[in-house]
Every structure is written in C-alpha cells, then in structure tokens.
Amino acid sequence: MLSELFLDVKVISPTSATPSGRTPLSRTAIKPTKSKTVQASKEHKKTVGHQFRNSLHLLMETLNATTPHYVRCIKPNDFKFPFMFDEKRTVQQLRACGVLETIRISAAGFPSRWTYQEFFSRYRVLMKQKDVLGDRKQTCKNVLEKLILDKDKYQFGKTKIF
C-alpha cells in the first residue's frame, strides 16, 4: 500500500519532445496511479469519524459495564520531600476533593450497605464455629448484637445490613 503512493505515471505527448529526444520537465504531466486494488480498498476504508464513533461506542460500553472507583492522590508536601507531612496542605486538598464532606455525610447516616451474604462472607472470620447457623440473616444479627453493643450503629433491613 505504501509503495503504491510513490508510483507515478508520466504522460508525454509526442509533440513535446525536443530534437534530442528528451522531454522538458515543465511539460511533463504527472498523474498518480489508480489501480483497482487501491479503489477496492478505498471503498472498505473507514473514515476517521467512523473510527472515532466506534471507539467512543466501545468506551461507553466498557464504562457502563464497570463500577468506577476513584483514586484521589493527596500530596503530603509541595516539595516532594520524603517523610515530610504538611498537615495544613493535606487538609486543603481533602476539602477541595470533597473527601471531608463525604466523610461527614457518611458519619451522619449508615454508609455501609451489605447484603447478609456479603456481610457473612466478609466478617465470618470474627465468628466462632458455634455462632454460624444455617440462616445467614440470623447469624449476622447474632454476631452484630454480640460484637457491637450500641444498636444505633447498625440497622437490619429485609435484605441488607445498614
């Protein structure tokens, strides 16, 4: 394909030749070649706009199929020195990112929402073998009531623990 770009056809009229048989450069017409393979591949070539739309469509499918998690990078100091922590600057960054507000909202309500099965899978290491029952919901209730004495810290729903 690349080599075809540099192929040229010279069209020379018989009247343009000089007596020495040479053709002056100014009178030489150069036409690019148009072979059938180039025309056939051109019909199947995708435009930049079409490629962009396809790429955007694939990106949107990927984004819709995933659950995004955001990573907030906090610089401990502006000088990039190791083991140096500027508390004022860090708090400024946390405020700007909205992390402190998120923490405040989460602390005011019930930030964790676990299904009983998820809770059991995650926290079963805290349970003794005799505490594990066949009913996951009842097992989770028993463990929470035993480990967290303040009942205002959690709440049981139909399918989730808050």
Side-chain angles (χ1 to χ4, degrees):
M1 173 92 178
L2 184 62
S3 62
E4 293 175 359
L5 293 174
F6 297 104
L7 294 177
D8 295 329
V9 174
K10 294 180 183 178
V11 178
I12 302 169
S13 65
T15 58
S16 65
T18 59
S20 65
R22 295 184 183 178
T23 305
L25 186 59
S26 61
R27 295 186 185 182
T28 305
I30 300 174
K31 293 185 181 179
T33 59
K34 292 184 181 179
S35 64
K36 292 180 183 179
T37 58
V38 173
Q39 288 177 350
S41 67
K42 190 175 182 179
E43 293 171 2
H44 298 294
K45 254 187 197 175
K46 296 177 182 171
T47 63
V48 174
H50 183 71
Q51 291 174 354
F52 177 76
R53 278 192 304 273
N54 285 344
S55 176
L56 184 61
H57 181 68
L58 288 172
L59 175 64
M60 291 306 296
E61 282 180 356
T62 304
L63 288 176
N64 290 330
T66 59
T67 305
H69 291 83
Y70 299 99
V71 176
R72 292 178 178 97
C73 296
I74 306 297
K75 290 172 38 178
N77 62 66
D78 290 330
F79 306 108
K80 299 183 182 178
F81 292 143
F83 307 112
M84 186 179 150
F85 186 76
D86 184 4
E87 293 144 7
K88 240 182 184 178
R89 181 70 176 128
T90 304
V91 171
Q92 283 178 335
Q93 292 176 65
L94 291 172
R95 275 201 188 104
C97 291
V99 172
L100 295 180
E101 185 68 15
T102 303
I103 292 170
R104 189 185 63 75
I105 291 168
S106 295
F110 298 107
S112 300
R113 293 167 177 83
W114 300 81
T115 64
Y116 289 100
Q117 181 59 44
E118 290 171 341
F119 183 86
F120 178 79
S121 296
R122 183 167 179 114
Y123 296 106
R124 71 174 151 210
V125 296
L126 300 174
M127 303 174 194
K128 295 180 179 171
Q129 188 62 32
K130 64 180 182 178
D131 293 337
V132 178
L133 306 172
D135 183 21
R136 298 280 188 242
K137 187 173 183 177
Q138 191 59 46
T139 303
C140 293
K141 283 184 180 183
N142 292 344
V143 168
L144 276 172
E145 289 169 353
K146 185 190 288 187
L147 295 175
I148 302 176
L149 302 176
D150 186 4
K151 297 205 185 274
D152 293 334
K153 299 281 184 189
Y154 59 90
Q155 185 174 351
F156 299 107
K158 277 185 180 180
T159 59
K160 292 187 178 184
I161 299 171
F162 300 91

